[in-house]
Amino acid sequence: MLTVAVLISGTGSNLRALLDAAADPGFPARIIVIGADREADGLAHAEAFGIPSFVVPWEAYDSREDWGAELDAQLRVWQPDLVVLSGLMRLLPRDVVAAWSPRIINTHPAYLPEFPGAHGVRDALAAGVAQTGASVIVVDDGVDSGPVLAQERVSVLEGDTEHALHERIKPVERRLLIDVVRRIAEGDLELGARPADLDAHRPQAADEN
Ligand code: GAR
């Protein structure tokens, strides 16, 4: 059984869909912990499903690196097989990406590499494209620049608002995300192992100093 940690910032509607999917005993992955960078509304889903959660408040840290180090420490407690960024609206520091890569994935409301960043839906609308989309990618050091695992087009309709378009993209994201997690769990989608077991890696790094 693949164990999954999910990180969020917002309402967690995609998280909710993953929780619903994982509640099926036949689903090959289990969400073991949910983390957030703030007291996100989506944490209510963790409570509803009886899943542990943690908050590492962005504002409480002096730097992205300090914040990321605490986030990483919290994840290490749970040792998930996979980390899913599901609307986490912060860039992770390089060290954290390196520690979990390639077993860390992100869902994004655009057809990457088009419209990366925090405003993927708004930027697509502003560009006047006829189609945008949804993508699930492996997280790397860049902004939404990692390898694409799954993506699908969504049409922009006349008179679309950012909200309306985003609400049509999200169900596609959910379907892609659930499918990608299932395929990783079943071994149909090979991400590769993390560079080393995290606990084993630490003392070794200390010895090298
Ligand atoms: C999702 O559309 C997700 O792709 C997006 O935030 C939304 C979260 O919705 N993430 C990004 O834009 C990251 N660049 P949710 O909280 O309702 O699941």
Side-chain angles (χ1 to χ4, degrees):
M1 182 71 74
L2 186 90
T3 58
V4 180
V6 183
L7 302 180
I8 62 168
S9 293
T11 57
S13 64
N14 289 345
L15 160 69
R16 175 70 194 218
L18 195 54
L19 285 167
D20 285 337
D24 179 340
F27 195 76
R30 192 160 48 93
I31 299 174
I32 56 169
V33 68
I34 294 160
D37 63 338
R38 52 188 283 263
E39 293 293 339
D41 290 346
L43 290 171
H45 301 307
E47 208 177 322
F49 278 75
I51 292 172
S53 64
F54 62 83
V55 177
V56 182
W58 171 258
E59 288 77 16
Y61 295 84
D62 290 337
S63 69
R64 181 180 308 279
E65 283 65 33
D66 288 351
W67 170 77
E70 181 54 28
L71 191 74
D72 185 37
Q74 293 286 337
L75 288 172
R76 283 171 194 256
V77 171
W78 297 93
Q79 291 287 318
D81 298 318
L82 179 72
V83 178
V84 174
L85 311 188
S86 184
L88 180 75
M89 301 305 282
R90 308 275 177 202
L91 286 180
L92 295 174
R94 186 178 290 253
D95 281 2
V96 179
V97 173
W100 295 93
S101 175
R103 303 193 72 82
I104 178 166
I105 66 174
N106 183 30
T107 170
H108 183 75
Y111 199 89
L112 293 168
E114 301 166 7
F115 311 115
H119 304 293
V121 181
R122 189 185 306 173
D123 293 346
L125 265 185
V129 292
Q131 288 194 315
T132 180
S135 304
V136 178
I137 61 170
V138 177
V139 176
D140 71 1
D141 283 342
V143 178
D144 298 322
S145 56
V148 173
L149 298 173
Q151 61 186 170
E152 197 171 304
R153 285 289 187 188
V154 174
S155 292
V156 180
L157 303 181
E158 210 173 313
D160 250 345
T161 60
E162 182 179 354
H163 179 75
L165 179 54
H166 203 167
E167 288 305 304
R168 287 206 316 288
I169 291 171
K170 279 187 180 183
V172 179
E173 277 189 75
R174 288 170 200 148
R175 185 160 40 75
L176 294 180
L177 179 62
I178 290 165
D179 189 52
V180 162
V181 171
R182 177 188 285 116
R183 283 162 56 210
I184 292 170
E186 290 177 342
D188 289 345
L189 192 53
E190 192 49 60
L191 290 182
R194 282 188 269 151
D197 174 81
L198 289 173
D199 285 334
H201 187 69
R202 265 200 160 161
Q204 190 188 346
D207 289 348
E208 284 166 4
N209 286 335

Short mmCIF file of all heavy atoms in Angstrom, two decimals, residues 1 19 48 123 145:
data_model
loop_
_atom_site.label_atom_id
_atom_site.label_comp_id
_atom_site.label_asym_id
_atom_site.label_seq_id
_atom_site.Cartn_x
_atom_site.Cartn_y
_atom_site.Cartn_z
N MET A 1 0.85 -1.20 0.00
CA MET A 1 0.00 0.00 0.00
C MET A 1 0.88 1.25 0.00
O MET A 1 1.72 1.42 0.87
CB MET A 1 -0.89 -0.04 1.24
CG MET A 1 -1.86 1.10 1.38
SD MET A 1 -3.23 1.08 0.21
CE MET A 1 -4.26 -0.23 0.86
N LEU A 19 -9.14 11.93 -1.05
CA LEU A 19 -9.58 11.23 0.16
C LEU A 19 -10.76 10.32 -0.13
O LEU A 19 -10.82 9.18 0.34
CB LEU A 19 -9.97 12.25 1.25
CG LEU A 19 -8.82 12.96 1.95
CD1 LEU A 19 -9.34 14.16 2.74
CD2 LEU A 19 -8.08 11.99 2.88
N ALA A 48 -12.46 15.38 9.03
CA ALA A 48 -13.63 14.58 8.66
C ALA A 48 -13.25 13.12 8.40
O ALA A 48 -14.04 12.21 8.66
CB ALA A 48 -14.29 15.18 7.41
N ASP A 123 -3.70 33.71 -15.89
CA ASP A 123 -2.74 34.00 -16.97
C ASP A 123 -3.24 33.44 -18.31
O ASP A 123 -3.06 34.07 -19.36
CB ASP A 123 -1.36 33.44 -16.63
CG ASP A 123 -0.72 34.15 -15.45
OD1 ASP A 123 -1.21 35.23 -15.06
OD2 ASP A 123 0.26 33.60 -14.88
N SER A 145 8.02 23.20 -13.44
CA SER A 145 8.83 22.87 -14.62
C SER A 145 9.24 21.40 -14.68
O SER A 145 9.97 21.01 -15.59
CB SER A 145 10.08 23.75 -14.64
OG SER A 145 10.80 23.59 -13.43
#
